[in-house]
Amino acid sequence: MPLTPAILALNLASLTQSLLLVLAAGFAIQILRHWDLSSGSERQLGLERRTYLIATLVAWVFGGNLLSLLLFVYNAEQLSTQFVGAMCATGVLNANPWGWPTLGLKISLFFAGAAWLILNGVDNQAPDYPLVRPKYALLLLIAPLALAEVTAQALFFTALNPDLITSCCGSLFSPEGGGVAAEIAGLDPAVSLAALALSGLALLATGLRYWRRGRGGGLFALLAALTFGIALTAIVSGVALYVYEHPHHHCPFCLLKSGHDFVGYGLYVPLFAATALALGAGLMEVWRSAPSLKAIIAIRGPRLAGLSLILFALFYGLATWLVLRSNLLLLGPI
Amino acid sequence: MIRLDAVSKVYNQGRHNEVWAVRDLRLELETRGITVLKGPSGSGKTSLLAMLGCLSRPSSGRIHLEGRLLSNLPERFMTQVRRSTFGFIFQRFNLIRGLTVLENVMLPAYPLAPDPGRLRDQALGLLRQFRLEERAHNKSEWLSGGEAQRTAICRALINDPAIIIADEPTANLDSQLSRELLTLIGELADQGKGILISSHDPLVFDHARVSRVVELRDGRLA
Amino acid sequence: MISFLRRQGYLLEYSLASLARRPGKHLGLVLVYATLVFLLASTLLFTQSLRQESALVLAESPELIVQRLLAGRHDLIPASYLEQLGTIRGVGERYGRLWGYFYDPAVRANYTLMVPRAAPPAAGEVQLGAGVARARGLSPGDYLSLRSARGEPFSFRIAALLPADTELVSSDLMLLNAQDFRRFFDFPADRFTDIVLRVRNPVEVRKVAEKISLALPDTRPILREEILRTYDAVFGWRQGLVFVLLTGAMLAFVIFAWDRASGLSGEERREIGILKAIGWETGDVLRMKFWEGAALSLTAFLLGYLLAYVHVFHFAAVLFAPVLKGWAVLYPDFRPVPFVDGLQVATLFFFSVFPYTVATIIPIWRAAITDPDQVMR
């Protein structure tokens, strides 16, 4: 394992986050067992006060996770000089089988945390806290996710061996290679960009319907999750090519570098935020018939969806602009 | 109208130092006029006042305010009711040292996030009403007893509550200041505020303006 | 949304006022906090700029260097090898280099003597690195006298000094032309120190290196990327070592922060009780306290980072250059190039602000759940 400050920081951060979540999960179990809002007993008062602590812990884990996601990518970028064949973060993540799962787990943890906090925010609006049980049960599912993340990350770093020859984005994302990454990259840019545009239209339609009529929130969230996947695919197989102006450069991380005006942040930040908001809105829809929450969800859900649509629009706008301004012509004149 | 239904409050339940502050209390109180809870110390009047003012929750029993059940609300919502319905004047005034008179008065409104300019005007208006406008930018610890007491009243009024709760308000005042305070409280009652006072000071419960006296002993009606 | 921002504004205002009211209590924490940030940031900024500097210098160096080995030791390489190397596909430009070391007893230091490929100095003239010039107290126009390999004195006129921005690698350098070099060292005429190859396609470098070791079995090809990797690994490892040592300091800081956050004075406890009684919610108090923490963290972080920046970039990291730089007798008077990136800042955050926050969550929560009716008891 390369002993660099960033790797120490990442391991330390993930370990702390899992510990905090395990602590929160422990409190969650107590709440699940003893919660009784009608009681004025000191135990119930204590539990109610614990809910503040749990929410704070989850919020911090979530925030820390967001930053560690960034650091993880930066760090992979920096390590790329130490691996023969790696020219950017992709090559380093590829150096052993734990790289991509770690990244995936970090992203899942981000969405899980965001959705949970949104749900918690809604529940806190109703005096009878109708979602207490489902909410803390969900928390029990998030804790193992954090444990899996810290383990995968530790395995990834331990197994990093600088003598290894790894493949860089050029070969990983080249259509001739094998595996999922190659298939994604091998997709015809026209197909992936068309899929992106179509999913965007579907998203806009369902989102607007939900925003105006308050119906179809679940569908909107599902479509948003789907669009997230399509968007990542389209970035690798299409948008990236236009940014780099190179028909075989597919790397999703180089977009974050200064050489490309940090345009990756402009794409990823709205995309991640929009997806998180949509997932939160969809999750709360599940409980839209709870009597004390009906009115609140009917206002909040569509509002979140509206915000999510705005962020998606930012993402789509930037992606379109990147394709149009590029000197690379893959699809012939548009 | 505040209705109490079999309300009890117990501290350290199930432990050796268990204390029943209020036991099985049934009571109806008007939210207009001045009501005094009277009794020796340890009679449970402060615990009762805390429950009435949504500062604490009864261990059992129900409290209704104007027909709305308050006693089963979680803290988050009790706080919302508290800051919009009740204003508090404490025994030792409890102003925050180091902050100016104006800041002390505005504090209860911070969580409601009103427009800053409006809040300031409102606070200054109250200070003017209680002849404190010159003191607005002084630190609260430099105030005389009477000024501190009037600042506490301004702070209690900043969110325009329907009911003012005063816990032993004359305990630290001489007779002169106590009478002044009661006059001010009388004026508030004239403006339509409900007043709930706990006290064992005859100056208070024998005051002409008091509309009802509830006497407590050992957590029960005496 | 507006009311949310406004509420945060009020809470921030209150927490800043609260900090200002007890400056003494927080001063110690900020100092310890800033010191931690300072130590970590100095390490990071310094090694990062060393890494940057060496990468800049090496970027100019050739992709491949071929050395001859004799009994496992570096030996002079025959000029005839140049032609043999020319037959390997993919090799672009190729040339022999002349360089060596010279021990100067007058200043008890080693110089690196080198023949530059482009624009070598005229006969009898040299260009000097700043370190050598400093050690001998020389400036352009002066003469430098050295004893050659045969024991004869050699006098060189100093034509110019090398630019200061490459001092990390050029400090001990002395550039001269090939004839002077061969005469001074009594260097065989048909030999070079090593041979340099340019390979145009970076993907082919490894292939070319393989072919060389087959064609000329007594040689050793050295790849530029290998050198870069070694540098990177060494710098990263040294940084890591310092950080591991500082982890102890970090733990001490966490305990200190925890202690500070849980040791609320009676006055502060009373204040929180009052706030809750007059209508503040537990969440409001929590947020107010976190604003307080954020203000402290920001102050300490900026202070520590700024001090580290000044320390590294204006005072050349006087405090720990010896540990991190490696050593030579002619110590380069190295002025690091200012360089800041997201990786550093994020790493620093996880070593300072993150542990501070984690350490204070539970104490802050404990303070925030103070009973609102406490002020009446």
Side-chain angles (χ1 to χ4, degrees):
Chain A
M1 178 171 82
L3 183 72
T4 69
I7 290 180
L8 286 174
L10 279 167
N11 281 324
L12 212 70
S14 290
L15 205 64
T16 317
Q17 284 166 15
S18 333
L19 281 178
L20 292 182
L21 267 187
V22 166
L23 192 70
F27 293 147
I29 291 174
Q30 288 180 14
I31 288 177
L32 286 173
R33 288 181 56 191
H34 301 299
W35 186 261
D36 176 13
L37 201 53
S38 60
S39 153
S41 71
E42 280 166 26
R43 180 165 76 187
Q44 174 60 19
L45 283 178
L47 287 179
E48 279 177 38
R49 289 172 177 180
R50 281 276 160 81
T51 62
Y52 288 93
L53 179 60
I54 296 177
T56 312
L57 289 175
V58 176
W60 274 102
V61 167
F62 170 73
N65 175 60
L66 195 60
L67 217 88
S68 94
L69 184 63
L70 263 182
L71 183 59
F72 186 72
V73 174
Y74 289 155
N75 176 58
E77 190 73 54
Q78 165 121 54
L79 283 179
S80 61
T81 50
Q82 295 190 29
F83 289 85
V84 178
M87 274 144 98
C88 66
T90 307
V92 176
L93 291 185
N94 230 20
N96 68 50
W98 298 104
W100 293 103
T102 306
L103 186 69
L105 282 167
K106 275 187 193 291
I107 293 175
S108 320
L109 201 56
F110 166 81
F111 284 130
W116 193 88
L117 285 172
I118 289 173
L119 193 67
N120 185 49
V122 171
D123 190 36
N124 283 345
Q125 300 297 308
D128 57 344
Y129 290 160
L131 305 187
V132 158
R133 280 171 206 282
K135 199 166 71 177
Y136 289 109
L138 278 180
L139 194 59
L140 293 184
L141 297 181
I142 297 181
L145 202 60
L147 291 175
E149 189 261 339
V150 69
T151 317
Q153 180 172 267
L155 285 172
F156 170 61
F157 285 134
T158 329
L160 264 191
N161 183 357
D163 295 331
L164 208 78
I165 296 180
T166 171
S167 54
C168 125
C169 48
S171 46
L172 172 69
F173 288 120
S174 71
E176 295 82 44
V180 186
E183 272 176 34
I184 290 175
L187 270 180
D188 186 348
V191 173
S192 71
L193 290 180
L196 185 64
L198 275 181
S199 76
L201 287 178
L203 199 65
L204 186 70
T206 51
L208 280 181
R209 191 176 89 132
Y210 181 45
W211 184 59
R212 290 171 68 177
R213 307 234 175 94
R215 276 206 302 266
L219 183 66
F220 174 66
L222 278 181
L223 270 175
L226 193 69
T227 304
F228 179 73
I230 293 179
L232 291 186
T233 312
I235 287 176
V236 169
S237 69
V239 179
L241 306 182
Y242 285 97
V243 175
Y244 306 133
E245 302 191 340
H246 185 295
H248 300 295
H249 195 180
H250 289 283
C251 181
F253 302 112
C254 296
L255 292 169
L256 296 168
K257 287 190 198 166
S258 60
H260 304 288
D261 303 325
F262 303 107
V263 70
Y265 294 98
L267 288 172
Y268 292 128
V269 170
L271 180 64
F272 274 70
T275 310
L277 290 177
L279 288 178
L283 187 62
M284 68 171 81
E285 272 296 295
V286 176
W287 288 280
R288 64 159 174 247
S289 48
S292 55
L293 283 179
K294 207 180 259 170
I296 296 157
I297 291 180
I299 295 172
R300 278 213 176 186
R303 198 197 290 160
L304 286 180
L307 203 59
S308 163
L309 275 183
I310 292 174
L311 289 164
F312 267 121
L314 281 177
F315 166 75
Y316 271 97
L318 182 62
T320 313
W321 180 72
L322 287 173
V323 171
L324 291 182
R325 71 136 195 199
S326 172
N327 296 318
L328 181 77
L329 287 181
L330 285 177
L331 309 176
I334 307 171
Chain B
M1 170 81 79
I2 303 177
R3 209 177 75 228
L4 285 82
D5 210 4
V7 165
S8 300
K9 181 72 182 178
V10 54
Y11 294 103
N12 304 321
Q13 188 163 28
R15 272 178 262 163
H16 64 92
N17 52 351
E18 181 177 289
V19 183
W20 287 82
V22 174
R23 266 175 211 260
D24 202 26
L25 200 64
R26 282 156 216 275
L27 186 63
E28 288 193 353
L29 296 170
E30 284 300 323
T31 45
R32 295 194 146 257
I34 302 177
T35 306
V36 176
L37 305 176
K38 166 187 165 185
S41 58
S43 62
K45 57 186 190 308
T46 297
S47 296
L48 178 58
L49 206 59
M51 285 188 285
L52 291 173
C54 286
L55 283 169
S56 69
R57 211 151 79 181
S59 305
S60 65
R62 288 152 179 266
I63 301 177
H64 286 86
L65 170 69
E66 313 293 4
R68 182 176 176 200
L69 182 65
L70 293 185
S71 48
N72 73 336
L73 284 181
E75 225 180 283
R76 182 175 275 118
F77 299 91
M78 276 208 338
T79 311
Q80 283 174 11
V81 174
R82 177 164 79 240
R83 65 182 164 218
S84 56
T85 316
F86 300 99
F88 294 88
I89 301 167
F90 302 105
Q91 190 175 358
R92 282 179 295 271
F93 310 125
N94 280 330
L95 299 176
I96 290 183
R97 299 162 63 85
L99 293 184
T100 64
V101 169
L102 182 65
E103 285 167 331
N104 262 295
V105 171
M106 295 194 303
L107 270 185
Y110 281 9
L112 296 169
D115 177 70
R118 240 174 38 262
L119 175 60
R120 222 180 131 81
D121 291 346
Q122 203 184 337
L124 286 171
L126 277 171
L127 289 175
R128 206 167 304 125
Q129 191 186 333
F130 286 89
R131 306 187 313 280
L132 284 164
E133 65 263 49
E134 283 115 59
R135 291 302 211 171
H137 298 287
N138 291 1
K139 301 259 189 238
S140 64
E141 61 267 31
W142 300 344
L143 298 177
S144 70
E147 286 167 338
Q149 169 203 101
R150 296 202 307 272
T151 306
I153 295 177
C154 291
R155 185 177 67 183
L157 291 172
I158 190 74
N159 286 342
D160 194 24
I163 301 167
I164 301 287
I165 289 183
D167 179 35
E168 304 270 4
T170 59
N172 292 340
L173 299 176
D174 61 26
S175 307
Q176 171 64 29
L177 282 173
S178 298
R179 275 191 206 97
E180 259 179 47
L181 175 75
L182 287 167
T183 314
L184 290 174
I185 285 179
E187 283 169 17
L188 292 177
D190 289 339
Q191 290 164 24
K193 305 269 183 215
I195 315 280
L196 287 171
I197 308 176
S198 76
S199 183
H200 58 265
D201 182 356
L203 214 56
V204 176
F205 54 75
D206 290 343
H207 196 268
R209 295 294 314 270
V210 170
S211 40
R212 184 174 173 198
V213 175
V214 176
E215 195 170 347
L216 288 171
R217 189 168 288 274
D218 301 327
R220 293 194 171 97
L221 291 178
Chain C
M1 192 67 191
I2 291 170
S3 99
F4 171 82
L5 288 179
R6 223 187 253 156
R7 182 178 310 128
Q8 304 308 315
Y10 280 124
L11 295 178
L12 180 61
E13 188 187 315
Y14 182 86
S15 58
L16 290 181
S18 155
L19 286 175
R21 271 180 287 142
R22 303 183 192 85
K25 192 192 168 200
H26 303 289
L27 194 67
L29 179 71
V30 169
L31 282 182
V32 174
Y33 201 154
T35 310
L36 180 74
V37 174
F38 168 78
L39 289 174
L40 296 168
S42 294
T43 317
L44 278 179
L45 287 173
F46 186 67
T47 20
Q48 190 61 29
S49 77
L50 275 182
R51 190 198 301 239
Q52 202 70 4
E53 176 96 353
S54 54
L56 274 178
V57 170
L58 284 172
E60 296 298 311
S61 84
E63 287 85 21
L64 252 176
I65 297 170
V66 183
Q67 292 180 340
R68 179 167 184 234
L69 292 184
L70 181 65
R73 307 269 303 167
H74 176 196
D75 192 35
L76 303 181
I77 196 161
S80 59
Y81 280 23
L82 266 177
E83 277 135 56
Q84 279 174 271
L85 287 171
T87 58
I88 295 175
R89 275 175 63 116
V91 173
E93 204 184 356
R94 59 191 194 281
Y95 56 89
R97 292 196 306 186
L98 289 171
W99 58 273
Y101 299 117
F102 175 78
Y103 179 73
D104 182 1
V107 291
R108 289 195 213 136
N110 259 315
Y111 302 164
T112 305
L113 272 65
M114 215 172 145
V115 177
R117 182 125 187 287
E125 288 193 344
V126 291
Q127 290 171 6
L128 272 195
V132 184
R134 231 186 346 263
R136 299 278 301 225
L138 298 169
S139 46
D142 294 346
Y143 283 86
L144 170 66
S145 210
L146 301 171
R147 259 165 71 95
S148 77
R150 294 187 170 182
E152 302 153 357
F154 251 75
S155 209
F156 298 107
R157 201 180 83 87
I158 292 145
L161 295 186
L162 293 167
D165 53 352
T166 56
E167 189 164 340
L168 186 63
V169 284
S170 75
S171 172
D172 62 343
L173 210 57
M174 176 170 150
L175 301 182
L176 63 175
N177 74 24
Q179 287 74 30
D180 286 347
F181 183 88
R182 288 189 195 275
R183 279 198 9 248
F184 183 73
F185 280 120
D186 198 14
F187 203 94
D190 58 343
R191 303 273 156 135
F192 289 110
T193 313
D194 51 26
I195 288 177
V196 154
L197 302 180
R198 296 258 172 204
V199 181
R200 264 187 223 98
N201 186 350
V203 185
E204 285 178 17
V205 174
R206 277 188 175 260
K207 201 86 212 145
V208 170
E210 264 171 50
K211 285 185 190 161
I212 293 172
S213 23
L214 284 178
L216 301 167
D218 62 341
T219 61
R220 168 173 71 178
I222 300 169
L223 280 66
R224 178 179 67 191
E225 58 182 68
E226 296 278 355
I227 303 179
L228 267 174
R229 270 175 59 195
T230 314
Y231 269 45
D232 253 17
V234 167
F235 284 140
W237 179 77
R238 281 198 188 156
Q239 268 184 343
L241 208 64
V242 174
F243 267 62
V244 169
L245 292 176
L246 287 177
T247 309
M250 192 191 83
L251 280 180
F253 168 68
V254 163
I255 294 168
F256 182 68
W258 171 289
D259 186 60
R260 273 304 164 96
S262 21
L264 283 186
S265 66
E267 176 79 17
E268 282 169 288
R269 244 172 240 294
R270 211 192 112 225
E271 254 184 54
I272 292 175
I274 296 173
L275 290 176
K276 291 200 72 172
I278 61 175
W280 285 40
E281 214 259 313
T282 306
D284 296 323
V285 179
L286 273 177
R287 278 185 283 272
M288 182 271 284
K289 278 287 182 186
F290 278 115
W291 278 118
E292 202 175 285
L296 282 176
S297 294
L298 193 71
T299 313
F301 194 85
L302 284 181
L303 188 69
Y305 197 81
L306 216 70
L307 284 178
Y309 193 94
V310 171
H311 168 224
V312 171
F313 297 124
H314 292 271
F315 294 102
V318 283
L319 292 183
F320 31 89
V323 194
L324 293 172
K325 203 149 54 171
W327 39 89
V329 179
L330 284 181
Y331 221 83
D333 185 11
F334 170 58
R335 294 266 157 196
V337 193
F339 182 82
V340 177
D341 72 0
L343 180 84
Q344 288 175 12
V345 178
T347 306
L348 268 183
F349 175 90
F350 276 115
F351 271 95
S352 55
V353 180
F354 185 74
Y356 173 74
T357 314
V358 171
T360 52
I361 288 179
I362 289 182
I364 285 178
W365 169 75
R366 283 237 170 89
I369 58 166
T370 307
D371 279 320
D373 62 340
Q374 182 203 278
V375 284
M376 288 172 74
R377 285 182 210 155

